[in-house]
Amino acid sequence: MVDCPSYPVRGAARITARLRMRPMGFVVPDDLACVTQFRASSSQPLAGGLPTTGTGRCRHAHRGSTTSFCSSLDGRSRQSYWPVIRLAKVTCLTGSVLTLSPTYTNRGAAVTASYFDVDGTLVSTNLVQPTLFYLLNQGTPAQSALRLGRALVGAPRMAIAELLDRRTFNELLFGTYAGMSEDRLEILGEEVFEKVIQPSIYPHARALVEKSLAAGHEVVFVSGALECVIRHLARGLGATTVIGNRLEMKDGLATGKLLRPVVAGPEKARIVRDHARSRGYSLDDCFAFSDSYSDVPMLSVVGHPAAVNPDRRLALMARAYSWPSFDLTVRPS
Amino acid sequence: MTHPCVVTLDRDSRPRVLFSGDRLVEVDLPPGTRCIYPKRPLAPIQDLDAAIRYAINHPHGSDPLYAKLRPGMKVTIAIDDISMPLPPMRRPDVRERVLTVVLELLADHGVDDVELIIATGIHRRMKASEIRRMVGDRIFNAYYPERLYNHDGEDSKNLVLIGETAQGERLELNRRAAESELLIYVNLTFVPMNGGFKSVAVGLCNYRSLRAHHNPSTIRKSDSYMDPPASELARDIERLGRLAHEKLDIFTIETTVNNRMFDRHLEFLMKNEDDLSGNERLKMKALIASTAALPQPARQAIFDRFPAPYEVTGVHAGATEPTHERSVQKSFDQYLVPIEGQADVMVVGIPYISPYSVHAFLNPLLVQVLAQGYLFNMYRGAPLVKKGGTLIITHPCTDKFDHEQHAPYIDFVHRFLPETRDALELHKRYEQKFAEDPAFIQMYRSGHAYHPAHPFFMWYWGENGRQHLGRVIVVGADNEYIPKLMGWETAASMDDALYRAKNGEARSLEITLLHMPPIVMGDVSVAPTTARSGGSS
């Protein structure tokens, strides 16, 4: 038996979940400093109606492994594990899939997922603005000036890459982060959110995310932005999972390279497909939202694509395929 | 003796001119066909402002409006949306006239906390230009957007539970309206099914509340929607409306208009084709030729350009029930034409507009709701067509949708209808999930799309027609698959359609043509032995 610490759970005050499980050659870390989730049965409810037993998984993506510590419990069928509780304490900068907040969906287990692109879809910022914030907030003004100068020199290449290939653009842009410390990235991430991203959230973005959650969807942000930044936005809007880009770290410093997979363009489609498969969702039932034509692969793999504040090419495509298309930028009357 | 609006065709009768969407077509109907024409427009009220003042000062079953007012109180005015009248009426809209008088009265009594809500229910949000047109420049400039806005049936923070009926139906209404000390509802009763308890209980509620009555079971139990006592739908809504009236102080102002849908230069469209003057015949020919030659967007632009010169025939105010009784009576006075006996075949031209397609293309689902919903239900007493009879409509049934307003309709027609046409099955399997689709809900909330539940309701709306009619035949469809999706047959011509309707029977068919628009309703009487079997099943 493993005792889990207390976690806040939306919709309930606090619970202590006691996971009764059979360890399978895996030691559950004491602090659960990883993304943990379990499906629980309804047979032995805790106070507050929460169940006690279940199966769980623990991901240590930053250590390059994903390990299931219990694949099933007492031979119970999956159908009896209801509802889903997600527990998480995020300390990992490089995890590939982060389940952010303990979330109870309204009807128990999420039945499907809504995948959201972030930049231009939910917020008016793009990848450049947070990067500029980082560059301008280095240890000394001289360091900031140096980094900014280097970035400006590389700007023409980035502009060309943006036109040709979003993935190359991302790699060039994140090259400007080389040498930044992990601590700085982490701490400034919160500041970037507060000062750059939060004021740029579109008026209807929160309502859209809320409706997805209310419909029982797992809300997943799939963004080319850095995970350490998007995570804060996801918390702010109530999203459950973040799939973002991660910087490679060496001796606590960013190398300027992105860890694979780079979240951009067609790769997003593969990531969404894999995520849905891992959660047992039918892609036909999944939703995806984006503003950009470059995300058409991601939109195309789900059964319910939607164009949000679409660019011209995406708007034409949405019209041709009768995808829902709407604008989150207008202020509610 | 038959009513002057009922004309029986003979061998010398000219072809009838019917709407086929935004085109006009001539059809030959056999001698003996009974054509029902709209009544002449009722005489309008000469001094409308005086009539409005009189109505609110001499209300039915309520204190006068001024007696309900006190300085500093919180008042909300709810207003009917753009779905009525059709097409939108010439400025000034009657709602502007009523609002002008009411707002002056409120100001005179020191009532400053006033908000105006367009009671859209789950209809699309009205655009600013449409609201301006409806309420007038002065009111628009003074109130929009902070104090004049569309109702949002998905804004859970601004909805409040009013209560639950004995039948377990929950009613949630707009918070501002529910928390006001006085709710004034400004209505336009265009057809008898509008107004009354429906105004507040439907116009200011949400999808969850609508599910109580907008469902296939209720619709199947309804006879004519246009005859409130015979409508299960009206009875269910009345229950919820009474609940609202128990909890809120509601002052209802209802208005009615005549059926002057066409201006003088198009007035001939209302007339018996045999009575047209030479000049009118020429105009008719020109109109038929030009609608046939012009591209669709041009035809739609022309029809959108000309508002209807409706005139106000009645203003009543006070408690909802006695006020609405008078409005319905006025409506019947305008529309009802006495008819003896039902027909084997009902022929009707489907026009270019419906309550849900103002400034948009009439998509196939809306053609369905016009045919089997509204036009089939244009009766009191008994349906115009016998149980198991045939409905023949003229319409191209083009597979085209307005991508802004009717986005969820596309999924309904092309995803769900191919699975099943069974309304109960659609209701059970698909409705709720689709109604919670976050993308379509967002289109409803921040765009100008109908709520994702609306296409389902539109399908249910045709349910009593579907249950009553044996078959529906479309003349002039430009494709086969849309009629097939709707469960209809197609025919190349009216002769072909009538031949099919005859189905090899030796006897000649009794055919009735409902010559619309403008609106006309049959007040159908049948011999006791052949009393109505229709509607419920």
Side-chain angles (χ1 to χ4, degrees):
Chain A
M1 183 188 289
V2 178
D3 287 349
C4 296
S6 297
Y7 292 96
V9 174
R10 189 174 303 151
R14 285 175 79 85
I15 62 160
T16 299
R18 294 168 66 85
L19 301 180
R20 190 187 300 276
M21 53 195 151
R22 294 173 183 163
M24 295 167 64
F26 177 81
V27 178
V28 177
D30 293 333
D31 60 354
L32 281 177
C34 57
V35 179
T36 303
Q37 63 175 10
F38 70 88
R39 288 177 183 272
S41 80
S42 56
S43 57
Q44 296 167 295
L46 285 171
L50 294 172
T52 55
T53 60
T55 67
R57 278 190 299 171
C58 174
R59 287 207 175 95
H60 286 269
H62 56 301
R63 291 173 196 165
S65 66
T66 300
T67 310
S68 293
F69 61 81
C70 189
S71 58
S72 67
L73 177 80
D74 300 337
R76 291 178 195 282
S77 66
R78 285 177 70 85
Q79 285 87 337
S80 69
Y81 300 141
W82 179 271
V84 165
I85 308 170
R86 294 193 184 84
L87 305 173
K89 183 181 176 187
V90 180
T91 59
C92 157
L93 185 67
T94 54
S96 61
V97 178
L98 291 184
T99 304
L100 279 179
S101 54
T103 299
Y104 254 130
T105 58
N106 283 355
R107 298 170 188 167
V111 289
T112 188
S114 286
Y115 297 96
F116 289 85
D117 169 54
V118 174
D119 291 321
T121 303
L122 298 174
V123 299
S124 61
T125 52
N126 54 34
L127 294 179
V128 176
Q129 285 131 314
T131 303
L132 276 175
F133 188 89
Y134 271 116
L135 295 179
L136 292 169
N137 286 277
Q138 293 302 299
T140 63
Q143 284 175 326
S144 292
L146 187 64
R147 284 185 177 279
L148 196 62
R150 279 188 200 146
L152 287 173
V153 169
R157 281 183 69 200
M158 285 187 225
I160 294 167
E162 165 69 357
L163 293 173
L164 301 176
D165 177 25
R166 178 56 72 92
R167 182 189 154 125
T168 309
F169 169 79
N170 283 2
E171 288 179 345
L172 289 171
L173 184 76
F174 290 119
T176 61
Y177 286 73
M180 285 189 206
S181 73
E182 189 170 350
D183 290 349
R184 180 170 292 278
L185 285 167
E186 184 66 23
I187 291 163
L188 281 182
E190 196 163 350
E191 221 172 310
V192 170
F193 169 66
E194 284 169 8
K195 294 189 173 163
V196 179
I197 295 180
Q198 199 167 31
S200 310
I201 297 174
Y202 287 133
H204 289 278
R206 187 177 300 278
L208 178 61
V209 171
E210 281 172 2
K211 284 293 172 194
S212 298
L213 289 167
H217 299 185
E218 178 179 354
V219 172
V220 184
F221 285 1
V222 187
S223 173
L226 283 182
E227 199 177 78
C228 58
V229 174
I230 297 305
R231 184 194 312 149
H232 300 286
L233 174 69
R235 279 216 186 91
L237 292 180
T240 42
T241 306
V242 168
I243 301 173
N245 273 319
R246 297 152 297 138
L247 288 168
E248 185 186 70
M249 294 292 166
K250 196 172 178 184
D251 301 329
L253 298 176
T255 62
K257 290 179 184 166
L258 289 173
L259 284 178
R260 298 292 185 261
V262 175
V263 184
E267 190 64 25
K268 280 188 179 178
R270 192 193 60 75
I271 290 168
V272 164
R273 214 167 41 226
D274 289 352
H275 181 271
R277 192 178 295 140
S278 73
R279 296 287 206 268
Y281 304 142
S282 161
L283 279 167
D284 281 351
D285 295 335
C286 289
F287 291 71
F289 302 85
S290 179
D291 70 308
S292 169
Y293 185 77
S294 65
D295 283 335
V296 165
M298 177 179 84
L299 295 170
S300 301
V301 296
V302 298
H304 300 273
V308 184
N309 327 315
D311 59 31
R312 192 184 60 81
R313 285 195 295 171
L314 182 60
L316 285 172
M317 176 164 257
R319 192 177 171 83
Y321 289 100
S322 299
W323 291 349
S325 177
F326 52 87
D327 194 350
L328 294 181
T329 63
V330 287
R331 293 243 156 240
S333 63
Chain B
M1 188 180 151
T2 56
H3 191 274
C5 291
V6 180
V7 175
T8 303
L9 301 187
D10 58 32
R11 287 181 186 284
D12 300 326
S13 297
R14 293 180 177 280
R16 302 296 106 174
V17 178
L18 304 184
F19 273 92
S20 177
D22 45 23
R23 285 198 170 106
L24 289 165
V25 292
E26 285 184 303
V27 296
D28 277 315
L29 291 167
T33 299
R34 182 172 60 177
C35 301
I36 305 168
Y37 285 87
K39 284 180 173 175
R40 299 291 304 164
L42 292 180
I45 291 171
Q46 292 303 321
D47 188 342
L48 182 55
D49 289 342
I52 294 165
R53 285 196 184 91
Y54 183 87
I56 60 179
N57 289 335
H58 301 83
H60 307 289
S62 163
D63 290 333
L65 183 55
Y66 64 79
K68 287 174 171 281
L69 304 177
R70 60 174 196 282
M73 74 185 300
K74 186 175 179 180
V75 173
T76 297
I77 304 176
I79 317 158
D80 271 352
D81 74 351
I82 199 170
S83 56
M84 297 292 158
L86 294 173
M89 68 190 292
R90 191 179 284 169
R91 292 181 80 170
D93 190 288
V94 64
R95 285 161 284 208
E96 176 185 347
R97 302 288 291 268
V98 173
L99 287 172
T100 304
V101 173
V102 170
L103 288 170
E104 275 173 14
L105 186 72
L106 294 180
D108 290 348
H109 285 76
V111 180
D112 299 322
D113 186 1
V114 180
E115 290 189 13
L116 290 80
I117 303 174
I118 316 288
T120 48
I122 61 165
H123 290 176
R124 72 172 175 91
R125 291 164 67 240
M126 282 177 70
K127 296 176 181 174
S129 58
E130 294 168 336
I131 297 174
R132 178 187 286 276
R133 195 183 173 287
M134 186 168 85
V135 302
D137 294 332
R138 225 177 96 208
I139 295 171
F140 183 86
N141 292 337
Y143 288 88
Y144 186 86
E146 286 81 17
R147 293 192 294 152
L148 167 59
Y149 49 86
N150 292 288
H151 167 68
D152 181 350
E154 283 291 341
D155 184 3
S156 48
K157 291 184 195 76
N158 284 315
L159 288 161
V160 62
L161 179 67
I162 298 298
E164 200 170 318
T165 65
Q167 284 74 14
E169 303 146 334
R170 287 160 63 89
L171 178 65
E172 288 176 70
L173 290 182
N174 185 291
R175 182 179 290 279
R176 164 73 200 196
E179 292 178 352
S180 292
E181 289 153 274
L182 178 63
L183 172 61
I184 301 171
Y185 198 101
V186 178
N187 151 275
L188 198 165
T189 299
F190 185 56
V191 288
M193 67 173 289
N194 302 144
F197 288 111
K198 182 168 174 275
S199 296
V200 170
V202 170
L204 295 172
C205 78
N206 60 355
Y207 163 64
R208 281 191 298 277
S209 304
L210 285 172
R211 272 173 68 88
H213 40 78
H214 279 51
N215 59 61
S217 313
T218 303
I219 300 293
R220 282 187 182 184
K221 289 180 206 154
S222 298
D223 278 333
S224 176
Y225 308 142
M226 301 297 169
D227 184 12
S231 168
E232 179 74 7
L233 181 68
R235 281 192 290 272
D236 285 5
I237 292 172
E238 183 180 328
R239 258 197 319 272
L240 289 162
R242 286 190 189 282
L243 181 65
H245 283 68
E246 278 169 24
K247 304 287 170 84
L248 318 178
D249 188 3
I250 301 173
F251 187 85
T252 301
I253 305 171
E254 293 199 345
T255 58
T256 50
V257 292
N258 61 16
N259 65 353
R260 196 177 291 286
M261 184 180 274
F262 302 114
D263 215 339
R264 240 180 338 179
H265 60 279
L266 285 177
E267 214 170 26
F268 58 87
L269 287 171
M270 296 173 64
K271 286 187 177 176
N272 178 352
E273 285 78 353
D274 293 318
D275 295 342
L276 296 179
S277 66
N279 193 22
E280 286 173 331
R281 266 204 293 278
L282 274 176
K283 280 202 248 179
M284 182 73 93
K285 288 281 181 199
L287 194 59
I288 293 169
S290 56
T291 57
L294 286 170
Q296 194 280 325
R299 296 196 298 272
Q300 185 153 342
I302 289 170
F303 283 116
D304 282 350
R305 185 172 285 263
F306 294 107
Y310 291 118
E311 298 157 314
V312 180
T313 56
V315 183
H316 301 283
T320 300
E321 202 168 9
T323 300
H324 190 55
E325 276 171 17
R326 287 161 176 83
S327 300
V328 169
Q329 189 52 51
K330 204 75 185 171
S331 209
F332 283 155
D333 290 347
Q334 175 64 83
Y335 301 135
L336 277 181
V337 173
I339 308 289
E340 282 179 20
Q342 295 169 292
D344 300 304
V345 177
M346 176 175 160
V347 179
V348 65
I350 304 293
Y352 60 95
I353 196 166
S354 90
Y356 318 110
S357 67
V358 178
H359 304 143
F361 185 78
L362 189 82
N363 67 56
L365 188 56
L366 292 176
V367 173
Q368 177 272 155
V369 78
L370 268 184
Q372 290 171 310
Y374 286 104
L375 301 186
F376 168 77
N377 278 280
M378 284 292 171
Y379 67 86
R380 186 172 78 171
L384 284 153
V385 64
K386 290 173 186 166
K387 174 85 176 168
T390 302
L391 174 67
I392 299 176
I393 61 171
T394 53
H395 198 274
C397 292
T398 309
D399 183 10
K400 183 177 167 183
F401 296 80
D402 186 291
H403 285 258
E404 188 185 17
Q405 292 191 23
H406 299 134
Y409 281 57
I410 305 172
D411 270 34
F412 181 86
V413 170
H414 290 295
R415 266 180 60 198
F416 301 132
L417 276 189
E419 298 288 328
T420 178
R421 280 195 296 272
D422 184 337
L424 290 169
E425 188 76 2
L426 286 162
H427 176 63
K428 201 169 120 190
R429 276 176 60 192
Y430 300 115
E431 183 199 295
Q432 189 163 1
K433 195 173 169 196
F434 193 63
E436 291 171 350
D437 185 310
F440 288 123
I441 286 179
Q442 198 56 50
M443 289 189 78
Y444 158 77
R445 296 192 67 191
S446 58
H448 297 280
Y450 282 83
H451 190 280
H454 202 258
F456 284 84
F457 294 167
M458 291 298 92
W459 185 255
Y460 308 155
W461 221 244
E463 190 60 13
N464 71 345
R466 256 191 306 279
Q467 296 296 314
H468 182 87
L469 295 164
R471 60 210 291 207
V472 177
I473 304 174
V474 189
V475 176
D478 62 15
N479 67 85
E480 292 290 325
Y481 63 94
I482 287 290
K484 201 172 174 185
L485 272 179
M486 303 291 156
W488 299 343
E489 299 167 40
T490 53
S493 65
M494 185 58 73
D495 287 344
D496 184 19
L498 290 169
Y499 177 78
R500 282 162 184 252
K502 198 164 181 184
N503 211 15
E505 284 186 43
R507 70 181 180 91
S508 59
L509 297 174
E510 291 167 8
I511 304 167
T512 292
L513 166 69
L514 199 61
H515 201 287
M516 288 180 64
I519 292 171
V520 54
M521 277 178 68
D523 192 7
V524 184
S525 55
V526 292
T529 49
T530 56
R532 173 173 45 191
S533 57
S536 59
S537 63

